[in-house]
Amino acid sequence: VRRLSVLAWVPDFARGLVREHRVRWALEEAGLPYEVRELREVDQQSPGYRELQPFGQVPAYEEDGLVLFESGAIVHHIAERSPALLPPSPAGRARALTWMFAALNTVEPDISNLATIDHFASGEAWAPLRRPAVVDLVKDKLDIVARRLRGRPYLEDQFTAADLLMSSVLRILRYTDLVSSVPVLADYCARIEARPAYQRSLADHLAVFARNPPPPGVTA
Ligand SMILES: N[C@@H](CCC(=O)N[C@@H](CS)C(=O)NCC(=O)O)C(=O)O
C-alpha cells in the first residue's frame, strides 16, 4: 500500500504547486495506485507526523513500511521503478538524475526566492530594492534551461522525472511572464502539461481543496 500525505487546504496561489503534487504526478505516470492522508496544520505539528516528515511539511510517503520525505527523493524512488520516468541505460538514468538535481538545487532556489518576495514580502521596504537582482538570477537560469531545450522536446532523450520536476519548478513562475514570454519554455511546459497523467494528478490534487473548508480565520 502506498500512502501520500498532502495538505488539506492551501490558498489559490499555491494550488497546483504544493510539492505533494509532484509525487501524485509521478505515481500517475508510473500507473501506481495510492491513498491520500489529508493534513491540517495541527496534524503537521504532531509528533506522529514528525516521525514521517521531520520538518512537518508535505509530502511524506509511505510504501509497505518504507517512509520517505523530500519530493525529489520520493519522485526518484518511484522513477527507479518505472520506465515511464527513467530510461533503461545506467548512463541515461544518471543524466536524468543530474537534471533532477539541477531542477531542485540550481533552478528552484532562485525561483523560490522570487516567489517568496512576491507572495510574502511584497509590502516590505526592501522588496523592490532586492527584486530586480533576483529576477536577473532567475532569467540567467531560465536562459540556460531554454538553451538546453532548443531543438529537443525533453531534457534527455525521452520524458523523464527530470522533466516532471523541471516543469513543476517553472510553473512556480506562472504568475509572471518570465516563462510564458520564452517560447521554448512555454512550449515545453504546454507539451508536458498536456500529458494525461499530469491532468489526472492535478485534478486529484485540486479536488482536495474544493472539498475542504479553509482553516479558521482564513477567508478563501
Ligand atoms: N524540499 C521539500 C519542501 C517541502 C515543502 O516546502 N512543503 C511545503 C508545501 S510545498 C509545506 O509543507 N509547507 C507547509 C509548512 O511548511 O508548514 C520537498 O520538496 O519535499
Side-chain angles (χ1 to χ4, degrees):
V1 178
R2 295 174 199 85
R3 188 162 67 155
L4 182 65
S5 297
V6 309
L7 296 180
W9 190 89
V10 299
D12 277 344
F13 80 85
R15 295 183 182 193
L17 302 179
V18 189
R19 298 321 186 261
E20 46 90 352
H21 172 258
R22 301 171 183 186
V23 177
R24 286 181 183 271
W25 183 6
L27 289 164
E28 288 288 344
E29 293 283 353
L32 299 171
Y34 63 101
E35 294 171 0
V36 163
R37 179 224 315 253
E38 297 176 11
L39 297 172
R40 274 151 235 288
E41 262 173 60
V42 290
D43 306 318
Q44 282 176 253
Q45 310 310 327
S46 74
Y49 187 64
R50 296 277 168 152
E51 292 278 308
L52 305 180
Q53 215 298 3
F55 301 95
Q57 297 182 315
V58 300
Y61 177 76
E62 297 155 84
E63 184 188 282
D64 301 327
L66 174 68
V67 179
L68 299 176
F69 60 97
E70 282 298 329
S71 58
I74 303 166
V75 167
H76 183 244
H77 173 80
I78 296 161
E80 284 279 5
R81 283 150 188 80
S82 172
L85 288 164
L86 280 177
S89 80
R93 295 165 88 86
R95 283 196 303 269
L97 185 61
T98 297
W99 279 109
M100 291 171 71
F101 275 94
L104 300 181
N105 204 33
T106 299
V107 181
E108 188 165 31
D110 289 323
I111 290 180
S112 284
N113 201 359
L114 182 61
T116 302
I117 291 175
D118 291 343
H119 295 313
F120 302 114
S122 57
E124 302 289 339
W126 55 263
L129 303 176
R130 176 67 184 139
R131 192 176 189 277
V134 177
V135 168
D136 284 346
L137 290 169
V138 168
K139 282 183 172 166
D140 285 349
K141 300 287 167 59
L142 293 180
D143 252 11
I144 291 162
V145 176
R147 210 173 306 152
R148 172 68 182 179
L149 288 169
R150 214 152 280 144
R152 65 170 89 217
Y154 302 114
L155 291 166
E156 285 294 328
D157 297 341
Q158 61 166 83
F159 174 84
T160 68
D163 300 298
L164 184 157
L165 293 175
M166 188 66 82
S167 63
S168 296
V169 166
L170 298 181
R171 200 169 309 109
I172 299 171
L173 292 170
R174 67 187 175 184
Y175 72 97
T176 73
D177 66 358
L178 289 166
V179 168
S180 57
S181 63
V182 181
V184 69
L185 295 179
D187 291 352
Y188 173 67
C189 288
R191 182 180 314 124
I192 286 174
E193 289 172 11
R195 298 177 71 80
Y198 171 81
Q199 295 292 336
R200 283 196 301 273
S201 64
L202 183 64
D204 289 345
H205 168 75
L206 295 177
V208 173
F209 311 131
R211 206 167 48 233
N212 288 317
V218 176
T219 41

